[in-house]
Amino acid sequence: MKHRRNTTATAEILNLLSQSKTALSHANIQQSLDGLCNRVTIYRVLDRLTEDGVVHKIVNIDGVVVYAICHTCTSKEHHHNHLHFSCEKCHAVTCLDNIEPSFKLPKKYKVNHVNFTVSGICPLCC
Amino acid sequence: MKHRRNTTATAEILNLLSQSKTALSHANIQQSLDGLCNRVTIYRVLDRLTEDGVVHKIVNIDGVVVYAICHTCTSKEHHHNHLHFSCEKCHAVTCLDNIEPSFKLPKKYKVNHVNFTVSGICPLCC
DNA sequence: CTATATTTGCAACAATAGTGCAAAAACAAA
DNA sequence: TTTGTTTTTGCACTATTGTTGCAAATATAG
């Protein structure tokens, strides 16, 4: 793994993601950072964090990419097969770490990645 | 429901989707149609077909939107909670109509839409 | 403090999707 | 078949989101 530097941008973005109960999009982060760094830097920091397995990337039900801290992963063992809930009202995307949909594929399929998202109304909005 | 007209563009797009074993993206369709109509028309036809429940929209694991004929839906009753498989090699996105992942959400959540996609290597590529 | 590799900002580019509007086409009714 | 109405289309333009190359700035090891 390439050596990473401890920069303000990275620290702040990581801080935001750590504090947040919900997954954040590039737009969310950019807004929160309010000019702290260039928008390209945010893309690159998020790429690095994803690459290093610190955060994971979720493709929301509307196609927008959001990022969340990996809570249940070690640096070696990743499992992102949990469910994501996308609220149609408050637009929050939440990782439901303990809900893992089960399904059975014919063994001829080899699964590498999983993206499970449902949308609707979350407990806070109902 | 608004009255729809039977145009060449719609007929051709519907034909493509009907013939295809896999879900198709706007780009796929545009390429196949090879200038038969404007790209904007394709967007609009797909929107109409989706609105009418003739096709359904799938957000692929990479965020790209693809469309597939609704096989198991009636005009009233829709269920798109089946699994989609996205092959990393041949890039085909397939509806696995008979595989429906099961999961249990706390009853405070109200689910409206579902998007289940897994990627990996499909039987034809393995 | 210095050398080096990483990170950043900028400007430009690229890909994809949406909009307004006038022209064209489909369809129902005469 | 013709006419009138409404839907559909193409075009040009705009919007949004993500990517790239490169020089300048910065973090870190030694």
Side-chain angles (χ1 to χ4, degrees):
Chain A
M1 183 165 121
K2 220 175 186 180
H3 187 251
R4 302 302 193 192
R5 290 182 179 179
N6 185 16
T7 66
T8 321
T10 306
E12 273 309 307
I13 290 171
L14 212 40
N15 185 41
L16 276 176
L17 286 166
S18 302
Q19 304 287 315
S20 177
K21 286 196 171 66
T22 61
L24 303 177
S25 66
H26 176 274
N28 293 151
I29 293 170
Q30 186 172 13
Q31 197 164 26
S32 295
L33 290 183
D34 190 33
L36 177 107
C37 69
N38 190 272
R39 105 201 140 76
V40 179
T41 301
I42 303 174
Y43 282 117
R44 297 200 264 224
V45 168
L46 289 171
D47 280 351
R48 264 175 260 150
L49 292 174
T50 305
E51 199 181 324
D52 294 349
V54 179
V55 304
H56 67 286
K57 212 172 177 170
I58 305 148
V59 176
N60 196 3
I61 204 156
D62 58 3
V64 173
V65 174
V66 292
Y67 298 85
I69 290 281
C70 291
H71 284 299
T72 57
C73 300
T74 66
S75 62
K76 302 270 166 68
E77 182 91 15
H78 285 269
H79 47 104
H80 296 136
N81 49 345
H82 58 265
L83 190 69
H84 301 112
F85 192 91
S86 178
C87 181
E88 289 164 1
K89 211 169 189 175
C90 68
H91 300 108
V93 179
T94 319
C95 284
L96 302 170
D97 286 306
N98 49 345
I99 302 179
E100 302 188 351
S102 65
F103 61 96
K104 225 175 222 136
L105 268 178
K107 52 183 167 296
K108 289 178 155 190
Y109 289 93
K110 183 176 178 297
V111 175
N112 289 334
H113 299 101
V114 163
N115 194 86
F116 287 159
T117 309
V118 301
S119 67
I121 307 297
C122 76
L124 297 173
C125 289
C126 72
Chain B
M1 184 165 119
K2 219 175 186 182
H3 186 251
R4 301 302 194 193
R5 290 181 178 179
N6 186 15
T7 66
T8 321
T10 306
E12 273 310 307
I13 290 172
L14 212 40
N15 184 41
L16 276 176
L17 286 166
S18 302
Q19 304 289 313
S20 177
K21 286 196 171 67
T22 61
L24 302 176
S25 66
H26 176 275
N28 292 151
I29 293 170
Q30 185 172 14
Q31 196 164 26
S32 294
L33 291 183
D34 190 32
L36 176 105
C37 69
N38 191 272
R39 118 202 125 72
V40 180
T41 300
I42 302 175
Y43 281 119
R44 297 199 264 223
V45 168
L46 289 171
D47 279 351
R48 264 176 260 149
L49 292 174
T50 305
E51 199 180 324
D52 295 350
V54 179
V55 304
H56 66 286
K57 213 172 176 170
I58 305 149
V59 176
N60 196 2
I61 205 156
D62 59 2
V64 174
V65 174
V66 293
Y67 298 86
I69 290 282
C70 291
H71 284 298
T72 58
C73 301
T74 67
S75 62
K76 301 272 167 67
E77 182 90 15
H78 286 269
H79 47 104
H80 295 136
N81 48 345
H82 58 266
L83 190 68
H84 302 111
F85 192 90
S86 179
C87 182
E88 289 164 2
K89 211 168 188 176
C90 68
H91 300 109
V93 178
T94 319
C95 285
L96 302 170
D97 286 306
N98 50 345
I99 303 181
E100 302 188 351
S102 65
F103 60 97
K104 223 174 224 140
L105 269 177
K107 50 181 168 294
K108 289 179 154 188
Y109 289 93
K110 184 178 177 295
V111 175
N112 289 334
H113 299 102
V114 163
N115 196 87
F116 287 160
T117 309
V118 301
S119 68
I121 306 298
C122 77
L124 297 173
C125 290
C126 74

